[in-house]
Amino acid sequence: MQKFTTDRLIIRNFRETDAPGMLEYLANPRVNCFLSERLSTLDEAIATASERSQDDSHLAVILKETGALIGDLFCMKEEPDTYSVGWHFNPAYEGVGYASESARALLRYLFLEQEARRIYAYVEDDNSRSQKLCEKLGMRREGCFMEFISFTKNEDGTPKYENTQQFAILKREWLDQGNV
């Protein structure tokens, strides 16, 4: 079980009761990389929340003030000490710093409590909000994978390949930025 907090947020494992909030932002994912997570019904959301409740790699982001689920973070460990991270937020809660606040807390948790040495994120070319968030977190752009992955199809049924940016940060870089 994972749980940590920020000034305005609680970051914890999912619960089945998070299903309605999850359905709200996964019914129509705004970026293609979340199309495989699309949910259509509350029953699907309950099943997904139940699965995630057993998995420390997907964490719910909750508003302290209201208890509302506003998004999620994920972190996948690659042995021995590297993590791939990402986030997905309900558009109704964008623009007030929740994504950066929660992602910063996740990096802190991974670097200081999980002994991560390196953290990276993949962000599609057209997802400028996530690219800006990576930069705000102090991550550097390492490169662009051309036609790297396909999450959807073109009108003719062929895969639509997307360019993907990779951002990363080392623990020493994160500490040099004054993070503790």
Side-chain angles (χ1 to χ4, degrees):
M1 174 77 169
Q2 304 298 327
K3 183 176 178 181
F4 45 97
T5 62
T6 68
D7 289 342
R8 304 180 294 169
L9 305 169
I10 298 167
I11 299 148
R12 59 157 171 77
N13 289 86
F14 274 88
R15 301 175 183 155
E16 282 189 21
T17 55
D18 295 324
M22 183 187 296
L23 180 60
E24 191 174 320
Y25 65 89
L26 286 178
N28 291 302
R30 289 188 354 188
V31 291
N32 289 339
C33 67
F34 293 108
L35 290 176
S36 65
E37 296 181 20
R38 179 179 289 165
L39 300 172
S40 300
T41 67
L42 184 57
D43 287 340
E44 288 177 353
I46 291 169
T48 301
S50 180
E51 285 176 28
R52 288 184 178 186
S53 72
Q54 305 300 312
D55 180 4
D56 287 344
S57 66
H58 283 84
L59 301 170
V61 180
I62 309 295
L63 281 179
K64 276 184 182 178
E65 188 175 302
T66 65
L69 173 72
I70 62 167
D72 62 74
L73 303 169
F74 59 87
C75 54
M76 309 297 187
K77 185 173 185 180
E78 296 175 12
E79 295 298 338
D81 54 10
T82 295
Y83 285 83
S84 171
V85 299
W87 36 80
H88 190 206
F89 284 86
N90 185 327
Y93 297 94
E94 288 180 348
V96 291
Y98 294 135
S100 61
E101 186 175 329
S102 61
R104 191 172 309 284
L106 177 64
L107 267 58
R108 182 180 192 284
Y109 168 76
L110 293 174
F111 281 134
L112 299 182
E113 295 184 36
Q114 298 300 308
E115 297 297 321
R117 177 190 56 83
R118 182 175 190 276
I119 295 172
Y120 72 92
Y122 288 136
V123 183
E124 286 68 38
D125 246 0
D126 62 352
N127 190 347
S128 61
R129 283 182 165 275
S130 281
Q131 290 177 29
K132 288 177 185 172
L133 176 55
C134 287
E135 292 166 352
K136 190 172 187 177
L137 294 169
M139 300 175 92
R140 79 189 114 60
R141 188 181 312 252
E142 291 192 321
C144 178
F145 299 95
M146 301 301 291
E147 296 185 12
F148 182 61
I149 196 159
S150 174
F151 297 105
T152 188
K153 296 185 185 298
N154 292 308
E155 288 182 19
D156 66 2
T158 59
K160 178 182 177 185
Y161 288 99
E162 297 182 347
N163 298 340
T164 303
Q165 302 289 326
Q166 181 170 312
F167 292 82
I169 189 167
L170 299 172
K171 183 176 184 176
R172 64 180 166 78
E173 292 171 319
W174 185 77
L175 291 170
D176 286 348
Q177 293 172 8
N179 297 298
V180 181

